[in-house]
Coordinates of all heavy atoms in Angstrom, one line a residue:
Chain A
S114 N -20.7 20.6 8.9 CA -20.8 21.4 10.1 C -20.2 20.7 11.3 O -20.3 21.3 12.4 CB -22.3 21.8 10.4 OG -22.9 22.2 9.3
E115 N -19.6 19.6 11.2 CA -19.1 18.9 12.3 C -17.9 19.6 12.7 O -16.9 19.8 12.0 CB -18.8 17.4 11.8 CG -18.1 16.5 12.8 CD -19.0 16.0 13.8 OE1 -20.2 15.8 13.5 OE2 -18.6 15.8 14.9
P116 N -17.8 20.0 14.0 CA -16.6 20.7 14.4 C -15.3 19.9 14.1 O -15.3 18.7 14.5 CB -16.8 20.9 16.0 CG -18.3 20.9 16.1 CD -18.8 20.0 15.1
G117 N -14.3 20.5 13.5 CA -13.1 19.9 13.2 C -13.0 19.5 11.7 O -12.0 19.1 11.2
T118 N -14.1 19.8 11.0 CA -14.2 19.3 9.7 C -14.2 20.5 8.7 O -15.1 21.3 8.8 CB -15.5 18.5 9.4 OG1 -15.5 17.5 10.4 CG2 -15.5 17.8 8.1
F119 N -13.3 20.5 7.7 CA -13.2 21.6 6.8 C -12.7 21.2 5.4 O -12.2 22.0 4.6 CB -12.5 22.8 7.3 CG -11.1 22.4 8.0 CD1 -9.9 22.6 7.3 CD2 -11.1 21.8 9.2 CE1 -8.7 22.3 7.9 CE2 -9.9 21.5 9.8 CZ -8.7 21.6 9.1
R153 N -24.1 24.3 3.4 CA -24.5 25.0 4.5 C -24.5 26.5 4.3 O -23.7 27.1 3.5 CB -23.5 24.7 5.7 CG -22.1 25.1 5.5 CD -21.3 24.7 6.7 NE -21.7 25.4 7.9 CZ -21.0 25.5 9.0 NH1 -19.9 24.8 9.2 NH2 -21.5 26.2 10.1
S274 N -6.3 20.2 12.9 CA -6.5 21.6 13.5 C -6.2 21.4 15.0 O -5.9 20.4 15.5 CB -7.9 22.1 13.3 OG -8.8 21.3 14.0
I349 N -8.9 17.1 15.8 CA -8.6 18.3 16.6 C -7.6 17.9 17.6 O -7.9 17.1 18.5 CB -9.8 18.8 17.2 CG1 -11.0 19.1 16.2 CG2 -9.6 20.1 18.1 CD1 -12.3 19.6 16.8
N363 N -17.4 22.1 25.8 CA -17.6 22.7 24.6 C -18.3 21.8 23.6 O -19.3 22.2 22.9 CB -16.2 23.1 23.9 CG -16.3 23.9 22.7 OD1 -16.9 23.5 21.8 ND2 -15.8 25.1 22.7
Chain B
V115 N -18.6 35.1 15.9 CA -17.3 34.6 16.4 C -17.6 33.1 16.6 O -18.5 32.6 17.3 CB -17.0 35.2 17.8 CG1 -15.6 34.6 18.3 CG2 -16.8 36.7 17.7
C116 N -16.7 32.3 16.0 CA -16.9 30.8 16.2 C -16.5 30.4 17.6 O -15.4 30.8 18.1 CB -16.0 30.0 15.2 SG -16.0 28.2 15.5
R117 N -17.2 29.5 18.2 CA -16.9 29.1 19.6 C -16.8 27.7 19.7 O -16.7 27.1 20.8 CB -18.1 29.6 20.5 CG -19.4 28.8 20.2 CD -20.4 29.1 21.3 NE -21.6 28.3 21.1 CZ -22.7 28.5 21.7 NH1 -22.8 29.5 22.5 NH2 -23.8 27.7 21.6
S118 N -16.7 26.9 18.6 CA -16.6 25.5 18.7 C -15.1 25.1 19.1 O -14.3 25.9 19.3 CB -17.0 24.7 17.5 OG -18.4 24.9 17.4
L119 N -15.0 23.8 19.2 CA -13.7 23.2 19.9 C -12.4 23.8 19.4 O -11.6 24.3 20.2 CB -13.7 21.7 19.9 CG -12.7 21.1 20.8 CD1 -12.7 21.5 22.3 CD2 -12.8 19.5 20.8
T120 N -12.1 23.7 18.2 CA -10.8 24.2 17.7 C -10.6 25.7 18.0 O -9.6 26.0 18.5 CB -10.7 23.9 16.2 OG1 -10.9 22.6 15.9 CG2 -9.2 24.3 15.7
C121 N -11.7 26.4 17.7 CA -11.5 27.9 17.9 C -11.4 28.2 19.4 O -10.6 29.0 19.8 CB -12.7 28.6 17.3 SG -12.6 28.7 15.5
E122 N -12.1 27.4 20.3 CA -11.9 27.6 21.7 C -10.4 27.3 22.1 O -9.8 28.0 22.9 CB -12.8 26.8 22.5 CG -12.8 27.0 24.0 CD -13.8 26.2 24.8 OE1 -15.0 26.7 24.8 OE2 -13.4 25.2 25.4
S126 N -10.6 31.6 21.0 CA -11.7 32.4 20.5 C -12.4 33.2 21.5 O -13.0 34.3 21.3 CB -12.7 31.6 19.7 OG -13.3 30.7 20.6
L155 N -21.2 31.6 17.2 CA -21.9 30.5 16.6 C -21.0 29.3 16.5 O -19.8 29.3 16.9 CB -22.6 30.8 15.3 CG -21.8 31.7 14.3 CD1 -20.5 31.1 13.9 CD2 -22.6 32.1 13.1
E156 N -21.5 28.2 16.0 CA -20.8 26.9 16.1 C -19.9 26.8 14.8 O -20.0 27.6 13.9 CB -21.7 25.7 16.1 CG -22.6 25.8 17.3 CD -21.9 25.6 18.7 OE1 -20.7 25.4 18.8 OE2 -22.6 25.9 19.7
C157 N -19.0 25.9 14.8 CA -18.0 25.6 13.8 C -18.3 26.1 12.5 O -19.3 25.8 11.8 CB -17.6 24.1 13.8 SG -16.3 23.8 12.6
L158 N -17.5 27.0 11.9 CA -17.7 27.6 10.6 C -17.0 26.8 9.5 O -16.9 27.3 8.4 CB -17.2 29.0 10.6 CG -18.2 30.0 11.3 CD1 -17.5 31.3 11.5 CD2 -19.4 30.2 10.4
G159 N -16.4 25.6 9.8 CA -15.8 24.9 8.8 C -14.5 25.5 8.3 O -14.2 25.4 7.2
A160 N -13.8 26.1 9.2 CA -12.5 26.8 8.9 C -11.5 26.5 10.0 O -10.7 27.4 10.3 CB -12.7 28.2 8.6
C161 N -11.6 25.3 10.6 CA -10.9 25.1 11.9 C -9.3 25.1 11.6 O -8.5 25.4 12.5 CB -11.2 23.7 12.4 SG -12.9 23.3 12.2
G162 N -8.9 24.9 10.4 CA -7.5 24.9 10.0 C -6.9 26.3 10.1 O -5.7 26.4 10.2
T163 N -7.8 27.3 10.2 CA -7.2 28.6 10.3 C -7.9 29.3 11.5 O -8.2 30.5 11.5 CB -7.5 29.4 9.0 OG1 -8.8 29.1 8.6 CG2 -6.6 29.1 7.9
A164 N -8.1 28.5 12.6 CA -8.7 29.1 13.7 C -7.8 30.0 14.5 O -6.6 29.9 14.3 CB -9.1 27.9 14.7
P165 N -8.4 31.0 15.2 CA -9.8 31.3 15.4 C -10.3 32.1 14.2 O -9.6 32.8 13.6 CB -9.8 32.1 16.7 CG -8.5 32.8 16.7 CD -7.6 31.9 16.0
V166 N -11.6 31.9 13.9 CA -12.2 32.6 12.8 C -13.4 33.5 13.3 O -14.1 33.1 14.2 CB -12.7 31.7 11.7 CG1 -11.5 30.9 11.1 CG2 -13.8 30.7 12.2
L173 N -15.6 35.7 5.6 CA -14.9 35.0 6.6 C -13.5 35.6 6.8 O -12.8 35.8 5.9 CB -14.7 33.5 6.2 CG -14.1 32.6 7.2 CD1 -15.0 32.3 8.4 CD2 -13.8 31.2 6.5
Ligands
FES9 S1 -14.1 25.3 15.4 FE1 -14.2 27.3 14.7 S2 -14.1 27.0 12.6 FE2 -14.3 24.9 13.3

Side-chain angles (χ1 to χ4, degrees):
Chain A
S114 312
E115 176 78 30
T118 310
F119 47 103
R153 62 180 296 192
S274 69
I349 304 178
N363 187 299
Chain B
V115 183
C116 174
R117 67 173 185 189
S118 288
L119 188 53
T120 305
C121 284
E122 185 177 280
S126 63
L155 39 63
E156 304 296 350
C157 182
L158 282 167
C161 327
T163 42
V166 297
L173 182 72

